[in-house]
Amino acid sequence: QVQFVESGGGLVQPGGSLTLSCAASGSIVRAYTMGWYRQAPGKERESVADISPSGSVAKYADSVKGRFTISRDNAKNTVSLKMNKLKPEDTAVYYCNRVTSQADWGQGTQVTVSS
């Protein structure tokens, strides 16, 4: 059974940075396009960024383009999300998952951007 464990969230001031990590177990993720998603209170879960199996192609939501960078380490079975210039509207619980053939969602990691 595939499990994703997200970490690295926290409280940060506007303009600050955080790096999120996603560790996968029970599945080798290198064959899949992987994505980061987020869900803010009262809103639906949305896609933030995704990265191709080789890591050569990354796509971003318009709201985070130029500020977030997704990367992956297939040898370690991990996916990361570097977040810069954070804004209050980035506040959400962040999750990772395969873009297709999604597994059960993990617990996510809370990111709060506030002064």
Side-chain angles (χ1 to χ4, degrees):
Q1 184 175 355
V2 178
Q3 284 189 319
F4 297 111
V5 179
E6 301 89 353
S7 62
L11 173 63
V12 63
Q13 292 186 342
S17 299
L18 282 174
T19 298
L20 307 183
S21 295
C22 169
S25 62
S27 172
I28 299 173
V29 299
R30 62 174 174 260
Y32 296 92
T33 296
M34 293 294 298
W36 279 98
Y37 303 80
R38 67 185 181 188
Q39 187 167 20
K43 295 187 177 181
E44 293 188 353
R45 186 178 285 133
E46 63 175 353
S47 174
V48 174
D50 60 66
I51 187 166
S52 63
S54 67
S56 61
V57 179
K59 298 178 182 178
Y60 299 91
D62 288 343
S63 59
V64 307
K65 202 170 293 183
R67 299 188 297 121
F68 289 12
T69 302
I70 188 172
S71 61
R72 66 191 298 160
D73 186 333
N74 287 338
K76 295 182 179 179
N77 231 24
T78 60
V79 183
S80 299
L81 185 69
K82 173 68 172 175
M83 306 185 295
N84 295 324
K85 300 179 182 178
L86 283 161
K87 304 176 181 180
E89 50 264 43
D90 294 319
T91 295
V93 180
Y94 285 71
Y95 305 85
C96 68
N97 209 325
R98 299 188 294 220
V99 173
T100 58
S101 301
Q102 288 183 334
D104 290 341
W105 295 94
Q107 295 291 329
T109 185
Q110 175 71 49
V111 172
T112 302
V113 185
S114 175
S115 55

